[in-house]
Amino acid sequence: QLGCVFYLSCGCACVVLAYKEKISSAQLGLVLLYANQLQRALMDYLMGLASLETNFVSVERIAEYSRLEKEEEIFEERCSQDVQLEEHTPNYWPSEGRISIKNVRMRYL
């Protein structure tokens, strides 16, 4: 992860600087403390961006649903098609929307 690499590079730089006596051990501890806090803040920032991206999915869905064709228009089209289909329907086609099942035995295994 990027935060771990950042923290490791700060630690290595501090060790090198402390070895060359450019910074004191108190400054080394302070730099590592701030690097840890900065790494945590970077992680929180990235988590917030990921959460924002997932929340935008709902916005995209609402925009997509608002562009859909209205049901009234679809219903009117289908009704006009049904009238045309009724003229060409064969005689054996069922006239009611009913299903009847008689003398059926079932068993669950």
Short mmCIF file of all heavy atoms in Angstrom, two decimals, residues 27-66:
data_model
loop_
_atom_site.label_atom_id
_atom_site.label_comp_id
_atom_site.label_asym_id
_atom_site.label_seq_id
_atom_site.Cartn_x
_atom_site.Cartn_y
_atom_site.Cartn_z
N GLN A 27 13.72 14.77 17.31
CA GLN A 27 13.17 15.15 16.01
C GLN A 27 12.81 13.91 15.19
O GLN A 27 11.80 13.91 14.47
CB GLN A 27 14.18 16.01 15.25
CG GLN A 27 14.38 17.38 15.85
CD GLN A 27 15.52 18.13 15.19
OE1 GLN A 27 16.47 17.53 14.69
NE2 GLN A 27 15.42 19.46 15.20
N LEU A 28 13.61 12.87 15.30
CA LEU A 28 13.31 11.61 14.61
C LEU A 28 11.97 11.06 15.06
O LEU A 28 11.14 10.66 14.24
CB LEU A 28 14.43 10.60 14.87
CG LEU A 28 14.24 9.25 14.17
CD1 LEU A 28 15.48 8.91 13.38
CD2 LEU A 28 13.94 8.17 15.17
N GLY A 29 11.75 11.05 16.37
CA GLY A 29 10.47 10.56 16.90
C GLY A 29 9.30 11.42 16.44
O GLY A 29 8.23 10.90 16.11
N LEU A 30 9.51 12.72 16.38
CA LEU A 30 8.45 13.63 15.94
C LEU A 30 8.12 13.41 14.47
O LEU A 30 6.95 13.39 14.08
CB LEU A 30 8.89 15.08 16.18
CG LEU A 30 7.81 16.14 15.99
CD1 LEU A 30 6.69 15.96 17.00
CD2 LEU A 30 8.42 17.53 16.12
N VAL A 31 9.15 13.23 13.64
CA VAL A 31 8.91 12.99 12.22
C VAL A 31 8.16 11.68 12.02
O VAL A 31 7.21 11.61 11.22
CB VAL A 31 10.25 12.98 11.44
CG1 VAL A 31 10.07 12.43 10.04
CG2 VAL A 31 10.83 14.37 11.40
N LEU A 32 8.53 10.63 12.72
CA LEU A 32 7.83 9.36 12.60
C LEU A 32 6.38 9.45 13.09
O LEU A 32 5.48 8.85 12.51
CB LEU A 32 8.58 8.25 13.34
CG LEU A 32 9.91 7.83 12.72
CD1 LEU A 32 10.57 6.76 13.58
CD2 LEU A 32 9.71 7.33 11.30
N LEU A 33 6.17 10.21 14.15
CA LEU A 33 4.80 10.40 14.66
C LEU A 33 3.94 11.12 13.63
O LEU A 33 2.81 10.71 13.34
CB LEU A 33 4.85 11.19 15.98
CG LEU A 33 3.49 11.49 16.62
CD1 LEU A 33 2.86 10.21 17.14
CD2 LEU A 33 3.65 12.50 17.73
N TYR A 34 4.47 12.20 13.06
CA TYR A 34 3.71 12.94 12.04
C TYR A 34 3.53 12.11 10.76
O TYR A 34 2.50 12.21 10.10
CB TYR A 34 4.39 14.26 11.72
CG TYR A 34 4.18 15.32 12.77
CD1 TYR A 34 5.11 16.33 12.96
CD2 TYR A 34 3.04 15.34 13.56
CE1 TYR A 34 4.93 17.31 13.91
CE2 TYR A 34 2.84 16.32 14.52
CZ TYR A 34 3.78 17.30 14.69
OH TYR A 34 3.58 18.27 15.64
N ALA A 35 4.53 11.32 10.42
CA ALA A 35 4.40 10.46 9.24
C ALA A 35 3.29 9.44 9.44
O ALA A 35 2.51 9.15 8.51
CB ALA A 35 5.72 9.76 8.94
N ASN A 36 3.17 8.91 10.65
CA ASN A 36 2.11 7.96 10.96
C ASN A 36 0.75 8.65 10.86
O ASN A 36 -0.20 8.08 10.30
CB ASN A 36 2.31 7.37 12.35
CG ASN A 36 1.31 6.29 12.65
OD1 ASN A 36 0.76 5.67 11.74
ND2 ASN A 36 1.07 6.03 13.93
N GLN A 37 0.63 9.86 11.39
CA GLN A 37 -0.64 10.58 11.32
C GLN A 37 -0.97 10.95 9.88
O GLN A 37 -2.14 10.88 9.47
CB GLN A 37 -0.58 11.83 12.19
CG GLN A 37 -0.56 11.51 13.67
CD GLN A 37 -0.42 12.77 14.53
OE1 GLN A 37 -0.20 13.85 14.01
NE2 GLN A 37 -0.53 12.60 15.83
N LEU A 38 0.02 11.31 9.10
CA LEU A 38 -0.20 11.65 7.70
C LEU A 38 -0.64 10.41 6.92
O LEU A 38 -1.52 10.49 6.06
CB LEU A 38 1.05 12.26 7.09
CG LEU A 38 0.93 12.76 5.66
CD1 LEU A 38 -0.11 13.87 5.58
CD2 LEU A 38 2.26 13.26 5.17
N GLN A 39 -0.04 9.28 7.23
CA GLN A 39 -0.42 8.03 6.56
C GLN A 39 -1.86 7.68 6.88
O GLN A 39 -2.63 7.27 6.02
CB GLN A 39 0.53 6.91 6.99
CG GLN A 39 0.30 5.60 6.29
CD GLN A 39 -0.42 4.59 7.14
OE1 GLN A 39 -0.51 4.71 8.36
NE2 GLN A 39 -0.95 3.58 6.51
N ARG A 40 -2.27 7.86 8.12
CA ARG A 40 -3.66 7.58 8.53
C ARG A 40 -4.62 8.56 7.84
O ARG A 40 -5.69 8.16 7.39
CB ARG A 40 -3.77 7.69 10.06
CG ARG A 40 -5.15 7.51 10.60
CD ARG A 40 -5.64 6.12 10.40
NE ARG A 40 -7.02 6.05 10.86
CZ ARG A 40 -7.81 5.05 10.65
NH1 ARG A 40 -7.36 3.99 10.01
NH2 ARG A 40 -9.04 5.06 11.08
N ALA A 41 -4.24 9.82 7.76
CA ALA A 41 -5.10 10.81 7.10
C ALA A 41 -5.24 10.49 5.61
O ALA A 41 -6.33 10.63 5.04
CB ALA A 41 -4.51 12.21 7.28
N LEU A 42 -4.16 10.04 4.98
CA LEU A 42 -4.22 9.66 3.57
C LEU A 42 -5.14 8.46 3.38
O LEU A 42 -5.93 8.42 2.43
CB LEU A 42 -2.81 9.34 3.06
CG LEU A 42 -2.67 8.93 1.61
CD1 LEU A 42 -3.07 10.07 0.70
CD2 LEU A 42 -1.26 8.48 1.31
N MET A 43 -5.08 7.50 4.28
CA MET A 43 -5.95 6.34 4.20
C MET A 43 -7.41 6.75 4.38
O MET A 43 -8.30 6.28 3.65
CB MET A 43 -5.55 5.30 5.24
CG MET A 43 -6.29 3.99 5.07
SD MET A 43 -5.74 2.71 6.20
CE MET A 43 -6.41 3.30 7.74
N ASP A 44 -7.70 7.63 5.33
CA ASP A 44 -9.06 8.12 5.53
C ASP A 44 -9.57 8.87 4.31
O ASP A 44 -10.74 8.75 3.93
CB ASP A 44 -9.14 9.02 6.77
CG ASP A 44 -9.00 8.24 8.06
OD1 ASP A 44 -9.17 7.01 8.03
OD2 ASP A 44 -8.70 8.87 9.09
N TYR A 45 -8.69 9.65 3.68
CA TYR A 45 -9.07 10.39 2.48
C TYR A 45 -9.44 9.43 1.35
O TYR A 45 -10.45 9.60 0.67
CB TYR A 45 -7.91 11.29 2.06
CG TYR A 45 -8.12 12.00 0.76
CD1 TYR A 45 -9.04 13.04 0.64
CD2 TYR A 45 -7.40 11.63 -0.37
CE1 TYR A 45 -9.23 13.69 -0.56
CE2 TYR A 45 -7.59 12.28 -1.58
CZ TYR A 45 -8.51 13.31 -1.67
OH TYR A 45 -8.70 13.94 -2.86
N LEU A 46 -8.64 8.39 1.15
CA LEU A 46 -8.92 7.42 0.10
C LEU A 46 -10.18 6.62 0.39
O LEU A 46 -10.95 6.31 -0.53
CB LEU A 46 -7.72 6.49 -0.10
CG LEU A 46 -6.47 7.16 -0.66
CD1 LEU A 46 -5.32 6.17 -0.73
CD2 LEU A 46 -6.75 7.74 -2.03
N MET A 47 -10.42 6.31 1.66
CA MET A 47 -11.67 5.62 2.02
C MET A 47 -12.88 6.52 1.74
O MET A 47 -13.93 6.05 1.29
CB MET A 47 -11.64 5.20 3.49
CG MET A 47 -10.64 4.12 3.80
SD MET A 47 -11.06 2.55 3.07
CE MET A 47 -12.45 2.10 4.07
N GLY A 48 -12.74 7.80 2.01
CA GLY A 48 -13.81 8.74 1.71
C GLY A 48 -14.09 8.83 0.22
O GLY A 48 -15.25 8.90 -0.20
N LEU A 49 -13.02 8.83 -0.58
CA LEU A 49 -13.22 8.84 -2.04
C LEU A 49 -13.92 7.58 -2.53
O LEU A 49 -14.79 7.64 -3.40
CB LEU A 49 -11.87 9.00 -2.75
CG LEU A 49 -11.24 10.38 -2.72
CD1 LEU A 49 -9.90 10.35 -3.44
CD2 LEU A 49 -12.15 11.40 -3.36
N ALA A 50 -13.56 6.44 -1.97
CA ALA A 50 -14.21 5.19 -2.35
C ALA A 50 -15.68 5.21 -1.95
O ALA A 50 -16.55 4.76 -2.71
CB ALA A 50 -13.50 4.00 -1.71
N SER A 51 -15.98 5.73 -0.78
CA SER A 51 -17.38 5.84 -0.34
C SER A 51 -18.16 6.79 -1.23
O SER A 51 -19.32 6.53 -1.58
CB SER A 51 -17.40 6.31 1.11
OG SER A 51 -18.73 6.51 1.53
N LEU A 52 -17.54 7.89 -1.61
CA LEU A 52 -18.20 8.85 -2.50
C LEU A 52 -18.51 8.22 -3.85
O LEU A 52 -19.59 8.41 -4.40
CB LEU A 52 -17.31 10.08 -2.68
CG LEU A 52 -17.85 11.19 -3.58
CD1 LEU A 52 -19.04 11.86 -2.91
CD2 LEU A 52 -16.76 12.20 -3.86
N GLU A 53 -17.59 7.43 -4.35
CA GLU A 53 -17.81 6.76 -5.63
C GLU A 53 -18.97 5.78 -5.56
O GLU A 53 -19.80 5.71 -6.46
CB GLU A 53 -16.53 6.04 -6.06
CG GLU A 53 -16.64 5.40 -7.41
CD GLU A 53 -15.36 4.69 -7.82
OE1 GLU A 53 -14.37 4.76 -7.07
OE2 GLU A 53 -15.36 4.08 -8.88
N THR A 54 -19.06 5.03 -4.47
CA THR A 54 -20.17 4.09 -4.34
C THR A 54 -21.50 4.81 -4.15
O THR A 54 -22.54 4.32 -4.59
CB THR A 54 -19.95 3.11 -3.17
OG1 THR A 54 -19.74 3.84 -1.97
CG2 THR A 54 -18.78 2.21 -3.43
N ASN A 55 -21.48 5.98 -3.52
CA ASN A 55 -22.72 6.74 -3.36
C ASN A 55 -23.19 7.33 -4.68
O ASN A 55 -24.39 7.55 -4.86
CB ASN A 55 -22.54 7.85 -2.33
CG ASN A 55 -22.45 7.32 -0.92
OD1 ASN A 55 -22.90 6.21 -0.64
ND2 ASN A 55 -21.86 8.08 -0.03
N PHE A 56 -22.28 7.60 -5.60
CA PHE A 56 -22.67 8.14 -6.89
C PHE A 56 -23.39 7.11 -7.76
O PHE A 56 -24.03 7.46 -8.75
CB PHE A 56 -21.47 8.72 -7.63
CG PHE A 56 -21.34 10.19 -7.44
CD1 PHE A 56 -20.33 10.70 -6.64
CD2 PHE A 56 -22.22 11.07 -8.02
CE1 PHE A 56 -20.21 12.06 -6.45
CE2 PHE A 56 -22.11 12.43 -7.84
CZ PHE A 56 -21.10 12.93 -7.05
N VAL A 57 -23.31 5.84 -7.39
CA VAL A 57 -24.04 4.82 -8.14
C VAL A 57 -25.54 5.10 -8.05
O VAL A 57 -26.26 4.98 -9.04
CB VAL A 57 -23.69 3.41 -7.62
CG1 VAL A 57 -24.60 2.36 -8.21
CG2 VAL A 57 -22.24 3.08 -7.93
N SER A 58 -26.02 5.48 -6.88
CA SER A 58 -27.44 5.77 -6.74
C SER A 58 -27.85 6.98 -7.57
O SER A 58 -28.94 7.01 -8.15
CB SER A 58 -27.79 5.99 -5.26
OG SER A 58 -27.06 7.08 -4.74
N VAL A 59 -26.97 7.97 -7.67
CA VAL A 59 -27.27 9.14 -8.50
C VAL A 59 -27.35 8.72 -9.97
O VAL A 59 -28.24 9.16 -10.71
CB VAL A 59 -26.19 10.23 -8.30
CG1 VAL A 59 -26.40 11.38 -9.25
CG2 VAL A 59 -26.20 10.71 -6.86
N GLU A 60 -26.43 7.85 -10.41
CA GLU A 60 -26.47 7.37 -11.78
C GLU A 60 -27.75 6.59 -12.06
O GLU A 60 -28.34 6.71 -13.13
CB GLU A 60 -25.26 6.47 -12.05
CG GLU A 60 -23.95 7.21 -12.09
CD GLU A 60 -22.76 6.28 -12.21
OE1 GLU A 60 -22.94 5.05 -12.18
OE2 GLU A 60 -21.63 6.79 -12.32
N ARG A 61 -28.20 5.79 -11.10
CA ARG A 61 -29.43 5.02 -11.28
C ARG A 61 -30.64 5.94 -11.39
O ARG A 61 -31.51 5.72 -12.23
CB ARG A 61 -29.63 4.04 -10.13
CG ARG A 61 -28.71 2.88 -10.20
CD ARG A 61 -28.96 1.91 -9.09
NE ARG A 61 -28.01 0.82 -9.14
CZ ARG A 61 -27.83 -0.05 -8.18
NH1 ARG A 61 -28.54 0.03 -7.09
NH2 ARG A 61 -26.95 -1.01 -8.30
N ILE A 62 -30.70 6.96 -10.56
CA ILE A 62 -31.82 7.90 -10.63
C ILE A 62 -31.82 8.61 -11.99
O ILE A 62 -32.88 8.77 -12.61
CB ILE A 62 -31.75 8.92 -9.48
CG1 ILE A 62 -32.06 8.22 -8.16
CG2 ILE A 62 -32.70 10.08 -9.70
CD1 ILE A 62 -31.83 9.07 -6.94
N ALA A 63 -30.65 9.01 -12.46
CA ALA A 63 -30.57 9.65 -13.77
C ALA A 63 -31.02 8.69 -14.87
O ALA A 63 -31.72 9.09 -15.81
CB ALA A 63 -29.15 10.14 -14.03
N GLU A 64 -30.64 7.42 -14.75
CA GLU A 64 -31.03 6.44 -15.76
C GLU A 64 -32.54 6.21 -15.73
O GLU A 64 -33.18 6.13 -16.78
CB GLU A 64 -30.30 5.12 -15.48
CG GLU A 64 -30.55 4.05 -16.51
CD GLU A 64 -29.77 2.79 -16.21
OE1 GLU A 64 -28.69 2.88 -15.62
OE2 GLU A 64 -30.26 1.71 -16.58
N TYR A 65 -33.12 6.11 -14.54
CA TYR A 65 -34.57 5.90 -14.44
C TYR A 65 -35.34 7.11 -14.94
O TYR A 65 -36.44 6.97 -15.46
CB TYR A 65 -34.97 5.58 -13.00
CG TYR A 65 -34.53 4.21 -12.54
CD1 TYR A 65 -34.10 4.01 -11.24
CD2 TYR A 65 -34.53 3.13 -13.39
CE1 TYR A 65 -33.68 2.76 -10.81
CE2 TYR A 65 -34.11 1.88 -12.98
CZ TYR A 65 -33.70 1.71 -11.68
OH TYR A 65 -33.29 0.48 -11.25
N SER A 66 -34.80 8.30 -14.77
CA SER A 66 -35.50 9.49 -15.24
C SER A 66 -35.51 9.57 -16.77
O SER A 66 -36.36 10.25 -17.35
CB SER A 66 -34.89 10.75 -14.64
OG SER A 66 -33.59 10.93 -15.14
#
